[in-house]
Structures are given as structure tokens and as C-alpha cells.
Amino acid sequence: RLDASQATALDEAMAAVTAAEAVEDRVELAAKRSAARAALFVQLGLPADAAVKMTGAPPDGWPPPALPGERALVEAALRTRPEIEIAAARLDATGARLFAEKAKRWPWLTFVELGYEVGPGIPDGQGFTFQGGVELPILDTNSKGVVAADAAQSAARLALAAEVQRISREVQVRLQAARVAEAQVTDLRKIVLPASQRASAAIRNVLQA
């Protein structure tokens, strides 16, 4: 009786330690899940604390529904990723700057005046006058400003292309990882499910005995 009591107490202590470790693992996994969920929402252009609601019934059986093609996933990522929007906005800003710098090469009106003169030598209805001043950029063609704006636009265009290429590679890598994981789960199910069924049958037989 003493040996049985000590063994039971030891089993109870070990079970408590195992339960504590399980709780710790659960907290760690929950933190990782929250971080991954927030990162996913940011990439989708949503708030990090956005709510998620499942519509419809989850699919039964295995394998799960097939993922979209690589091209569709890349296009969806390029439409929703904020990095692309930022790079495109910078490119638009450099284009507007280049247009403004080139516009400084064109003649500009400095003033326009319209009047009517009255006098003994001016026939009635013919005293209208018009004056205008035009600034001609003959000596200053603003070449430095145009070159700088053109360089900024080229840099912004390269930055946008780099973001597109980076996101495309990221989608390709993640899609490949998802396909590999699906294949691994498929192979694992072939081993684990039959073993689990045999173990369940053996447990039922023992309990009945």
C-alpha cells in the first residue's frame, strides 16, 4: 500500500508538471498566432486587430481545396500590399515634379491688361487696348532641375519594380511552402491515421476486458 501510494503521488506530480508545460506551450502558441495574424492583416491592408468571421461550413476530408495559381496570388498581393501603393505614390510624385521642372522652360505670361482709351483723335468704338508681358527662359533653361527630377523619377521607377519583384518572390516562396506542407500532411496522414485507429481499437478492447 505504501509503494502504491508513493507511485500515485509521483504520477500526480509528474502529471501536474506536464499540465503546466502544456499551458506554457499553449500561451506561446497563442502569442505566435496573434503575431502571425496581425502580420497577415497588415499585408492585406487591414487593421492589425480586425475581426475574422468564417462563412459557410469548413471543407470535409483531405486534401483541402486547391490554392489559386501563382499568377493570381501574385496579382492579388500586388493589389493589396501597402508597399506597392507607397512606391506608386512616390513615382507619381516624381512625375509631377518632372513636369513642373520642364514647365519652367516654357514662356510664361507675366501680366495681361485690357483697357479702353478715350480722346479726340480716337474714333468711337476703336479705343480698346491690350497689353501683355511674356517671360522667355532664354538664358535659364532649368536643365539642372530637369535632370534632378528625371533622376528622381528613374529611382522611384526602379524602387517600384524592386518592390514588385520582392513581393512576387515572397508569394512564390510561400506558395511553394504551402504545397510542400500539404504533401507532408498527406504522407503523414497515411501513417498516423491507421496507427491511431489501431490504437483506438486496442484501447476499447482493453477497457472492455
Side-chain angles (χ1 to χ4, degrees):
R1 289 176 180 176
L2 181 61
D3 292 341
S5 176
Q6 290 178 348
T8 302
L10 179 61
D11 291 340
E12 183 181 356
M14 294 301 297
V17 172
T18 303
E21 293 177 350
V23 171
E24 183 179 356
D25 293 341
R26 179 180 179 275
V27 172
E28 182 180 358
L29 291 175
K32 290 182 178 179
R33 176 181 178 274
S34 298
R37 176 176 172 177
L40 176 62
F41 287 166
V42 169
Q43 292 182 356
L44 293 176
L46 300 174
D49 56 349
V52 179
K53 181 179 180 181
M54 179 178 293
T55 58
D60 297 329
W62 189 264
L67 291 172
E70 179 180 314
R71 181 174 180 179
L73 291 176
V74 170
E75 291 178 352
L78 295 179
R79 286 194 302 268
T80 56
R81 292 290 288 268
E83 298 96 322
I84 298 298
E85 296 181 1
I86 294 173
R90 290 175 179 172
L91 181 59
D92 293 339
T94 56
R97 176 187 170 188
L98 179 60
F99 179 81
E101 294 294 340
K102 288 183 176 180
K104 295 180 180 179
R105 293 178 169 180
W106 305 335
W108 286 93
L109 287 174
T110 56
F111 72 94
V112 176
E113 293 182 359
L114 181 63
Y116 187 82
E117 296 182 358
V118 180
I122 299 177
D124 294 338
Q126 298 182 7
F128 291 100
T129 60
F130 175 81
Q131 295 180 357
V134 180
E135 180 181 352
L136 299 177
I138 298 176
L139 300 179
D140 184 11
T141 58
N142 196 29
S143 59
K144 293 182 180 180
V146 173
V147 171
D150 187 53
Q153 186 182 42
S154 299
R157 187 179 294 108
L158 292 176
L160 177 59
E163 286 293 341
V164 171
Q165 186 176 5
R166 182 183 66 82
I167 292 176
S168 300
R169 286 199 305 267
E170 181 180 335
V171 172
Q172 293 170 359
V173 170
R174 293 187 177 184
L175 177 60
Q176 182 64 24
R179 290 173 176 171
V180 170
E182 180 181 350
Q184 291 176 347
V185 172
T186 300
D187 295 338
L188 187 62
R189 286 169 60 90
K190 295 178 181 178
I191 301 173
V192 173
L193 290 182
S196 176
Q197 293 172 357
R198 290 194 300 269
S200 299
I203 290 174
R204 284 194 300 268
N205 294 333
V206 170
L207 292 177
Q208 291 176 359

